[in-house]
Amino acid sequence: MNNELIFEKAAPILAQLEKAGFDAYYVGGAVRDYLLNRPIGDVDIATAALPEEVKRVFSKTVDVGIEHGTVLVIWQGDGYEITTFRTESDYKDFRRPEKVSFVRTLEEDLKRRDFTINAMAMDRHGTIVDPFGGKAALQSQQIQTVGKAQERFSEDALRMMRAARFASQLGFQLHIETEEALSRCASLLEHIAVERKLMEMDKLLAGKEAAAGIKILLEGGLIAYLPGLLGQEQRINKMLSYDLNKLTGIQKWLLLLVLLAPHKPGDWLKKWRMPAKKIKYLAGTYETALKQQKEEWTDFSLYEAGVDQAMDAEAVNALLAGRPSKVEELKNRHADLSIHTRKELAITGKELKEWKNETGGPWMKSYIEMIERAVVERKVENSKEKIKEWLEACNLL
């Protein structure tokens, strides 16, 4: 769906609020991305209406964050978060406001936001409200805080990582005051939950200008307050010597792992509080990458790795070696394998026990592994008859 249609679908919500006597606007990232002609995901709506007033205007609502003024409105099957204009104060642990106060004016609400490019609003007719120079910042491609940078970072230290993330996503530069405040406030980042740091790091590494984001983390001294990166500045800086645009976000995590070479990659990844599935995948792909730096890909090593691990490991290794990537070749080779998982083997343990006339035991595991390798390496066709003949020819039955 294009950006205009997204706003058009949400316009009746603003109209309903206005009809009830309350100002309402699109705010935040959706407005920024609209002006940049970037794809928009969700639209956020801010209004002068208090939460209970919003609930009186709409018949279907959910209290998703009502203590902070947010109500989810269900409109024609879609959900829209509507938040009351508010101010924030008395930030706790440099991350959470202790006090939220509802206000009736848009400018007061925009004043609490992090960067000028995120402190714009738009009414349902397309008129932009820009009290802090967000449009000028977009034109000059600068990331600048709303008000004094040191105050904004002291309120929520994660905003420093957000600055680096936006540099990565948008390719913008930091405003000089914002840049200088990073170094002064970097230590505040230690108060931020690892999960929130991970969320920003994922988005940074997935950005089209990830090198710019990483450079900000290094030059601002933020690296020292990220899991497992204290004292690793030199190795992380080496990432900037490679064309990171050739890698996906997950491949950049893998490159970081290869450059850091932790003794126990799984434990290092756990420091970031990553989901277990992602830790397992990255740790396994790391081992695959190290192995394939020393060996050529065989059908069996490709089978063992799986297509995703193989392609990610190959992309990183090719970048490190400064050679053309064989990703497409490996993808095609994997597709041509006779089997892709053990479940595709034509025989089961039941047949093996019948053929050998024996009960189950450790021998079955070694037989299955031997058959699996033989099928992948095309030493035997993947059919019951051919596998049985092959086992007999090997004096194993």
Side-chain angles (χ1 to χ4, degrees), residues 72-129:
L72 180 70
V73 170
I74 309 301
W75 181 267
Q76 295 182 346
D78 294 317
Y80 296 90
E81 288 193 355
I82 300 180
T83 303
T84 303
F85 298 154
R86 71 190 193 204
T87 60
E88 299 173 345
S89 59
D90 302 330
Y91 283 76
K92 180 182 178 182
D93 296 332
F94 309 98
R95 53 187 174 141
R96 288 193 301 264
E98 191 83 353
K99 184 179 179 182
V100 172
S101 302
F102 299 137
V103 294
R104 293 292 191 178
T105 63
L106 173 64
E107 187 168 335
E108 281 296 304
D109 180 84
L110 296 178
K111 189 186 292 185
R112 70 178 171 83
R113 296 176 185 267
D114 52 8
F115 305 107
T116 59
I117 58 173
N118 297 330
M120 295 179 286
M122 183 172 75
D123 69 17
R124 62 188 175 93
H125 304 293
T127 301
I128 301 296
V129 180

Side-chain angles (χ1 to χ4, degrees), residues 238-239 242-261 281-282 285-293 297 308-327 330:
K238 192 174 181 181
M239 284 186 76
Y242 299 104
D243 184 359
L244 299 183
N245 287 331
K246 293 182 178 180
L247 303 181
T248 64
I250 197 74
Q251 289 167 358
K252 289 168 199 165
W253 272 113
L254 179 61
L255 174 63
L256 182 59
L257 263 182
V258 172
L259 293 175
L260 295 179
Y281 179 82
L282 273 171
T285 309
Y286 171 73
E287 297 300 335
T288 297
L290 295 187
K291 177 183 176 184
Q292 295 309 138
Q293 285 176 0
W297 285 99
D308 291 336
Q309 272 197 16
M311 290 182 6
D312 287 343
E314 170 60 21
V316 169
N317 283 345
L319 188 68
L320 288 168
R323 60 170 174 78
S325 171
K326 300 175 184 176
V327 162
L330 294 180

